[in-house]
Amino acid sequence: MARPPQQLPGPIERTYNAKAMPAPKGPKSPIEGTPLGVCFNDVVKEAGLAVKTIYGGERKNKYLLETTGCGLAFYDYDNDGWLDVFLVNGWRLEGFPAGQEPRCHLFKNNRDGTFTDVTKGSGLDQRTGWGQACCVGDYNNDGHDDLFVTYYGQNALYRNNGNGTFTDVTKEAGLLQSGPKTRWNTGCTFVDYDKDGHLDLFVANYVDFDLKTAPPPEAGPCTYKGLLVACGPPGLRGGKNILYHNNGNGTFTDVSERAGIWNTAGTYGLSVAASDLDNDGWPDIYVANDSSTATLYQNQKDGTFKDIAIEAGAALSPEGKPQAGMGVSIGDYNRDGNLDVVKTNFAGDTDSLYTNLGDGSFEDRTYPSGLGVNTRLLGWGVGFFDMDNDGWLDILMSNGHVYPEVDLSKADLKYAEHKYLYRNLQNGRFEEVTAQGGPGIMENAPARGCAFGDYDNDGDIDVAVNCVNAIPQLLRCDSTLNRKWIKIKLVGVKSNRTGIGTRVTVVAQVKPNPAKPLVQIDELRSGGSYFSQNDLRMHFGLDQAEKVDSVELRWLSGQVDHFQSLEPNKLYVLQEGGKILSAEPLTPAKKA
């Protein structure tokens, strides 16, 4: 039955009270204030990726649907050792003439710093619509990583055929949506939640939304800074997240309700990241919710989940208020062996840093860490990543306002915004180094999704950004530091073939303090940031370490593998069971 029009408790305006705080004081880190040694340059035009992403109205949005934008993927679809790029595309309310519809784009890496659009004939050129997120994983364990794309409407599962083409298997996989209601699917992740060796699929949902009954701005009226803007999500009914169980035969079953996915305090789900956040060996799922408490689905090890975000301390602001969460990333920023959470939020609020205490609980360290210095810009894609290969995770946030109308306001606001870049000071704090990050960081863009990966195989991490009604950005990291690194690609046997969910520990001795080894952990994840997919090759900076003393792999099957005395500056392909399939140095691409 069609839901009646929403009764809006207007006027509605998003308001936040967080204030920017000065950088925390304490013993100064020896690296604070020193030159970065890295510079991010936007080379999207030289690289051949300058295709415009279409999403909603360009100067004014009538409905909330026009605001969320799209993600993208750094995705080696042809398994040639070079990252390709997949760009999700969108739609407009008025539609398009036949033959002029915007479609998602697949770009093949030419290994010379440039890309070629290979969308036509790939099998990815058949669908159009309000594209949202993408995530990657080998759902059928055939050795070829597959692609899932979410939409407002019907999602799409593309089976990778291993020959450069894809087949839309959504119907045969049992992923067609039933019922009259149109789902607003958002972030996604492949996750083997029951550890049976087959990747399951989690899909967040934003709002129960029907264009026929959706309220226009004047219905509330819905305002922001005195401007009429798209209504919601406050006042609209939140969507219900979905969990699909992989049956092991190429099909999925919706187990959302019986798995406890619908029993959450928060709603309005956007981005998703999955990792073992309580160190019990079972993957949990974190969801950034807009205008609501975040959700942390703790895996109960019996096929069900329990939302523990509020009691765990990972749901609210430092003031105990719900926030408008957009993007999420997971990583061990303080190298204590526990995976932490960073989340981007709406303008006028701080972003969030939740430090994992190791017992299934978190402490909000937004202000003590230095992330509370900014409240002005509106965050979307986000990533923990080691930009300078010193073995400590830094943070990049892509920003852009949600309302294009702000360009017409008297307030000092712009739709296109620059990035935030934070350097890890190795003492629990971050230093904002946005202004030193290079022109790619400071360039204003209406950013949404961003993905992290080494597209030119030169040993440092680059960033790709999808934008709204604009061309994307390709932020090449140019480093003068000459620090070492190691990359690890996983091949599961009993576990899922992609190795998603595997916990990797890397130990290396770094002079001049060999008594204090460089110990890093991470897990391989599908999806994350904002609606995006990062490089599936895991990357660890090693500073000046001459070798990697040990690498430990804890697979979801329970298998534990150890590797000793590995040379740095190589990509290692490691198979479950302790086998090194290859160990090769990478040949960098020529700069575009």
Side-chain angles (χ1 to χ4, degrees):
M1 179 180 294
R3 184 169 54 83
Q6 300 289 338
Q7 299 299 313
L8 298 176
I12 295 175
E13 178 159 1
R14 299 180 192 236
T15 57
Y16 300 92
N17 299 316
K19 294 182 180 179
M21 299 289 287
K25 295 181 179 180
K28 187 173 182 179
S29 164
I31 65 173
E32 189 171 356
T34 61
L36 280 189
V38 299
C39 179
F40 291 89
N41 294 291
D42 187 359
V43 296
V44 70
K45 293 180 179 178
E46 302 95 310
L49 292 173
V51 294
K52 184 175 180 178
T53 296
I54 303 297
Y55 204 90
E58 299 220 8
R59 294 176 180 83
K60 187 176 182 180
N61 291 164
K62 185 176 182 180
Y63 298 120
L64 188 66
L65 179 59
E66 301 177 80
T67 66
T68 53
C70 306
L72 75 164
F74 267 139
Y75 171 30
D76 183 8
Y77 77 96
D78 52 2
N79 201 28
D80 66 351
W82 293 81
L83 285 183
D84 311 297
V85 174
F86 177 76
L87 294 167
V88 181
N89 215 334
W91 199 251
R92 287 195 176 131
L93 294 176
E94 62 270 24
F96 295 86
Q100 298 181 29
E101 304 92 343
R103 300 175 190 275
C104 299
H105 291 275
L106 178 66
F107 286 91
K108 179 176 172 56
N109 193 323
N110 297 326
R111 311 184 189 187
D112 61 359
T114 69
F115 295 80
T116 298
D117 192 334
V118 295
T119 312
K120 188 174 181 180
S122 68
L124 300 176
D125 54 350
Q126 304 302 308
R127 287 284 303 273
T128 61
W130 294 96
Q132 301 288 292
C134 60
C135 53
V136 173
D138 187 358
Y139 83 94
N140 56 358
N141 288 331
D142 67 352
H144 307 297
D145 289 320
D146 309 296
L147 176 67
F148 185 76
V149 184
T150 67
Y151 285 85
Y152 169 69
Q154 179 59 56
N155 299 324
L157 175 62
Y158 295 103
R159 185 184 64 214
N160 188 334
N161 298 321
N163 61 0
T165 69
F166 295 79
T167 299
D168 187 337
V169 295
T170 310
K171 181 178 180 180
E172 64 189 75
L175 296 175
L176 289 181
Q177 296 178 19
S178 58
K181 183 174 64 175
T182 301
R183 285 188 176 272
W184 189 341
N185 306 281
T186 49
C188 62
T189 180
F190 284 103
V191 53
D192 185 6
Y193 74 89
D194 55 357
K195 305 203 299 183
D196 66 353
H198 302 285
L199 286 174
D200 311 298
L201 183 60
F202 180 92
V203 184
N205 268 243
Y206 191 31
V207 172
D208 281 352
F209 190 84
D210 187 342
L211 281 169
K212 296 178 181 178
T213 58
E218 57 273 14
C222 301
T223 62
Y224 177 79
K225 304 293 184 182
L227 298 168
L228 281 174
V229 296
C231 292
L236 303 177
R237 183 179 299 168
K240 292 185 176 181
N241 302 328
I242 313 171
L243 180 64
Y244 295 105
H245 178 258
N246 190 327
N247 300 320
N249 60 0
T251 69
F252 293 82
T253 299
D254 186 340
V255 296
S256 309
E257 187 171 12
R258 70 170 181 260
I261 298 302
W262 294 351
N263 300 325
T264 64
T267 185
Y268 306 138
L270 285 174
S271 298
V272 181
S275 269
D276 178 10
L277 294 173
D278 56 3
N279 296 322
D280 65 355
W282 294 74
D284 310 298
I285 302 171
Y286 189 93
V287 184
N289 294 324
D290 188 0
S291 305
S292 182
T293 57
T295 299
L296 173 52
Y297 291 106
Q298 184 185 54
N299 196 321
Q300 301 298 297
K301 312 176 192 179
D302 59 0
T304 68
F305 290 84
K306 179 184 178 182
D307 179 12
I308 64 165
I310 294 177
E311 61 200 78
L316 301 165
S317 74
E319 297 81 17
K321 297 179 180 180
Q323 296 173 287
M326 305 296 181
V328 61
S329 182
I330 292 174
D332 182 13
Y333 81 91
N334 57 358
R335 291 203 355 232
D336 66 352
N338 303 307
L339 292 170
D340 312 299
V341 176
V342 62
K343 178 168 68 77
T344 54
N345 296 310
F346 202 83
D349 199 354
T350 64
D351 297 304
S352 300
L353 180 66
Y354 298 112
T355 299
N356 193 331
L357 301 180
D359 58 357
S361 66
F362 293 79
E363 181 180 19
D364 192 313
R365 300 286 295 174
T366 302
Y367 291 127
S369 71
L371 263 61
V373 298
N374 288 310
T375 62
R376 179 175 176 77
L377 305 185
L378 198 159
W380 300 89
V382 59
F384 280 122
F385 77 125
D386 187 356
M387 67 175 170
D388 49 11
N389 280 333
D390 65 353
W392 295 82
L393 294 178
D394 311 295
I395 298 174
L396 181 141
M397 298 173 177
S398 64
N399 301 307
H401 213 283
V402 71
Y403 305 125
E405 292 86 353
V406 298
D407 281 340
L408 305 175
S409 74
K410 295 181 180 179
D412 186 19
L413 297 171
K414 294 296 181 184
Y415 190 54
E417 298 177 334
H418 63 72
K419 312 288 180 289
Y420 285 146
L421 185 63
Y422 297 96
R423 172 166 59 179
N424 195 322
L425 294 177
Q426 307 179 12
N427 59 2
R429 295 192 289 114
F430 291 87
E431 174 188 16
E432 192 200 341
V433 291
T434 300
Q436 292 81 50
I441 301 297
M442 292 303 298
E443 178 184 359
N444 290 330
R448 292 298 186 265
C450 73
F452 298 79
D454 185 4
Y455 84 91
D456 52 3
N457 281 347
D458 66 351
D460 49 42
I461 302 300
D462 313 297
V463 185
V465 183
N466 208 347
C467 298
V468 177
N469 292 315
I471 64 172
Q473 295 177 297
L474 181 61
L475 308 184
R476 186 185 66 204
C477 181
D478 296 325
S479 174
T480 60
L481 296 172
N482 198 30
R483 289 175 176 156
K484 296 180 173 61
W485 48 268
I486 185 174
K487 292 183 189 292
I488 296 172
K489 181 176 173 61
L490 302 173
V491 179
V493 178
K494 292 181 180 179
S495 304
N496 67 85
R497 180 68 178 263
T498 311
I500 289 168
T502 303
R503 179 166 291 197
V504 179
T505 304
V506 173
V507 180
Q509 304 287 341
V510 181
K511 297 178 181 179
N513 187 10
K516 190 175 182 181
L518 187 68
V519 181
Q520 301 174 71
I521 71 161
D522 202 1
E523 290 179 4
L524 185 61
R525 282 175 286 274
S526 166
S529 180
Y530 178 78
F531 290 7
S532 297
Q533 174 67 56
N534 299 328
D535 189 352
L536 288 172
R537 301 174 303 178
M538 303 178 72
H539 179 100
F540 298 87
L542 298 174
D543 202 350
Q544 298 300 329
E546 296 297 330
K547 69 173 181 177
V548 175
D549 295 293
S550 66
V551 172
E552 179 187 87
L553 308 182
R554 290 189 172 269
W555 302 83
L556 287 183
S557 67
Q559 172 75 27
V560 180
D561 295 328
H562 294 93
F563 303 87
Q564 310 291 330
S565 298
L566 302 183
E567 293 183 29
N569 294 358
K570 287 185 176 181
L571 167 66
Y572 290 84
V573 181
L574 305 181
Q575 186 179 69
E576 186 175 9
K579 187 174 183 180
I580 299 178
L581 298 183
S582 67
E584 301 292 339
L586 299 182
T587 301
K590 296 179 181 179
K591 292 182 179 179

